[in-house]
Amino acid sequence: MERLEQQMRFVTEIGELKGVLRQTMLAGLSRRENSAEHSWHLALMALTLTEHAPPGADIGRVIAMVLIHDLVEIDAGDLFLYVDPEQQSRQDAAERAAADRIFALLPADQASDVRRLWDEFSERRTPDAKFARALDRLQPMLENMAAGGGTWQEHGITADQVLPKVELIEDGSPALGRLARGLICRAVAAGFLAPALGAAGQPGEYAV
Amino acid sequence: MERLEQQMRFVTEIGELKGVLRQTMLAGLSRRENSAEHSWHLALMALTLTEHAPPGADIGRVIAMVLIHDLVEIDAGDLFLYVDPEQQSRQDAAERAAADRIFALLPADQASDVRRLWDEFSERRTPDAKFARALDRLQPMLENMAAGGGTWQEHGITADQVLPKVELIEDGSPALGRLARGLICRAVAAGFLAPALGAAGQPGEYAV
């Protein structure tokens, strides 16, 4: 098959990501977010928040990473952040199988470039991957704030469950980590997020 | 206002693009495409089709351009490609006003960078802008093919109206221009696209 033909099959196939729904509710639109528009939002966050990336990060690579990071969900679907380790492990296997199938639509050289980028995002060891993962963790928090609680309320998530997730944001960007802690504090104060299961609500604890 | 606070206001505001609907119907999803997921698709097309860009094109800039190109639609809405010049001129004015408001949410240096990129896309004089505009013109054709005619059928668009639009694709990429002509030919042959108003259907005329 000709290179352009392979590339166009990939371009057509990835359009399916517009039909993969995430847990995140979009405030004002009364519907869940899909993984394509989520990926677009992350790419624009990377472009806008470049100066908060770790030293040595290459924003072009970060953008490529967030653009492709969810393609595997075309086969594997999206998984909510707060699931048990067994569900997470099944999801990881399904995503690796999806990566094998979807990236292989591309010419071999491009397939291995995209696979390397996706593996790098998953492993979260490089500055680029750390920043990309921080954005991916921060964006649903912004949507939950805009939606007055969103999936936090829907699933009864508490601040003491969200706070450990912020460490990954801090690891990719101390400035965005501080911002995320401030968001949690405001979410608790606004009643969007319960402080802890059975706890009496001490928003002060969550101050940055 | 602190820089990060300005950046986060922009990041939050641009989420509105997920609610701006285009004419394009998404095959299999029974709904119109929104401008955020459309922009994501273009960015991944730029990444995938890099080797078909004009000499001297910088794909990082092309990607940034397609990611931001529709932000003005948050205020101005999306306009169908086949409208009269008066409607187009009103739309252009509305988009310039939208660019003034939305980009100004950013710190001044970033606002002027994004405005320059958006102006460059609009003017379509540089290799980067020519390639970005070619992708923006090609992608709805792919969706119409996948949808068995899509907006072509819905609005009674004919091949002799689509063909002049292909020149802009050719100008950004001869390879993608050839591909687009081939698509039109196949669309006529498949009955997705009428050859011309009142014409008897001579698909052979549209062969590449």
Side-chain angles (χ1 to χ4, degrees):
Chain A
M1 204 190 293
E2 199 205 334
R3 275 181 79 82
L4 179 54
E5 202 179 326
Q6 291 177 292
Q7 290 160 342
M8 294 311 294
R9 280 177 59 147
F10 177 76
V11 160
T12 301
E13 174 74 19
I14 63 174
E16 298 294 317
L17 197 62
K18 299 169 195 172
V20 175
L21 297 185
R22 295 164 48 80
Q23 288 289 328
T24 309
M25 283 299 293
L26 295 176
L29 294 176
S30 303
R31 66 166 176 86
R32 298 198 183 277
E33 187 182 41
N34 71 60
S35 293
E37 61 198 359
H38 159 71
S39 301
W40 166 82
H41 210 168
L42 295 191
L44 264 185
M45 285 173 72
L47 207 60
T48 306
L49 302 170
T50 299
E51 69 202 51
H52 309 291
D58 173 339
I59 288 299
R61 293 189 78 250
V62 172
I63 289 174
M65 227 177 252
V66 297
L67 287 172
I68 61 109
H69 83 291
D70 271 346
L71 289 179
V72 293
E73 295 181 356
I74 290 170
D75 292 350
D78 182 58
L79 192 70
F80 190 46
L81 179 60
Y82 301 91
V83 293
D84 64 45
E86 199 190 319
Q87 281 175 289
Q88 185 61 57
S89 155
R90 275 199 305 272
Q91 179 72 9
D92 291 346
E95 291 190 354
R96 280 192 302 274
D100 290 343
R101 183 189 75 79
I102 297 165
F103 303 155
L105 297 171
L106 285 166
D109 57 322
Q110 291 186 289
S112 76
D113 285 351
V114 173
R115 178 59 181 252
R116 205 159 26 233
L117 213 53
W118 183 77
D119 284 339
E120 184 177 333
F121 179 86
S122 305
E123 291 160 6
R124 201 175 64 82
R125 281 200 290 255
T126 64
D128 294 349
K130 286 181 182 191
F131 191 56
R133 291 286 293 276
L135 299 174
D136 188 37
R137 182 65 54 90
L138 177 61
Q139 189 260 355
M141 294 179 59
L142 303 175
E143 297 291 351
N144 281 347
M145 284 301 287
T151 50
W152 290 331
Q153 296 226 328
E154 190 182 340
H155 296 273
I157 303 299
T158 58
D160 58 356
Q161 287 177 289
V162 181
L163 278 168
K165 307 291 188 187
V166 170
E167 285 168 28
L168 185 146
I169 303 178
E170 264 161 356
D171 192 38
S173 171
L176 297 184
R178 276 192 300 277
L179 179 103
R181 285 190 188 277
L183 279 180
I184 295 171
C185 178
R186 275 165 39 217
V188 171
F192 296 166
L193 188 59
L197 274 176
Q202 298 291 335
E205 288 173 28
Y206 304 100
V208 276
Chain B
M1 205 189 296
E2 199 206 333
R3 275 180 79 82
L4 179 54
E5 201 179 328
Q6 290 177 294
Q7 289 160 343
M8 293 311 294
R9 280 175 59 146
F10 177 76
V11 160
T12 301
E13 175 74 18
I14 63 175
E16 298 293 318
L17 197 62
K18 300 168 193 172
V20 175
L21 296 185
R22 295 165 48 80
Q23 289 289 328
T24 309
M25 282 299 292
L26 295 177
L29 294 176
S30 303
R31 65 165 176 87
R32 296 198 185 277
E33 187 182 43
N34 71 60
S35 293
E37 60 198 359
H38 159 71
S39 301
W40 167 82
H41 211 168
L42 296 190
L44 263 185
M45 286 173 71
L47 206 59
T48 306
L49 302 169
T50 299
E51 68 203 51
H52 310 291
D58 173 338
I59 288 300
R61 292 189 77 251
V62 172
I63 289 174
M65 227 178 249
V66 297
L67 287 172
I68 62 110
H69 82 291
D70 271 347
L71 288 178
V72 293
E73 294 180 358
I74 290 170
D75 292 351
D78 182 60
L79 194 70
F80 191 45
L81 180 60
Y82 300 90
V83 294
D84 64 45
E86 198 189 320
Q87 280 175 287
Q88 185 62 58
S89 153
R90 275 200 306 273
Q91 179 72 8
D92 291 347
E95 290 190 354
R96 281 193 300 275
D100 290 343
R101 182 188 76 79
I102 297 165
F103 301 155
L105 296 171
L106 285 166
D109 57 323
Q110 290 186 287
S112 76
D113 286 351
V114 173
R115 178 57 181 253
R116 203 158 30 230
L117 213 53
W118 184 77
D119 285 338
E120 184 177 332
F121 179 86
S122 305
E123 291 160 8
R124 201 175 63 84
R125 280 199 290 254
T126 63
D128 295 349
K130 285 181 183 192
F131 191 57
R133 291 286 294 275
L135 299 175
D136 188 38
R137 183 64 54 90
L138 177 60
Q139 189 261 356
M141 295 179 59
L142 302 176
E143 297 291 351
N144 280 348
M145 284 300 286
T151 50
W152 289 331
Q153 295 225 328
E154 189 183 341
H155 295 274
I157 303 298
T158 58
D160 59 356
Q161 288 177 287
V162 181
L163 278 167
K165 306 291 188 186
V166 169
E167 285 168 29
L168 183 145
I169 302 178
E170 264 160 356
D171 192 38
S173 171
L176 297 184
R178 277 192 300 277
L179 179 104
R181 285 191 187 278
L183 279 180
I184 294 170
C185 177
R186 275 164 40 214
V188 170
F192 297 165
L193 188 61
L197 273 175
Q202 297 293 331
E205 287 175 29
Y206 303 99
V208 275

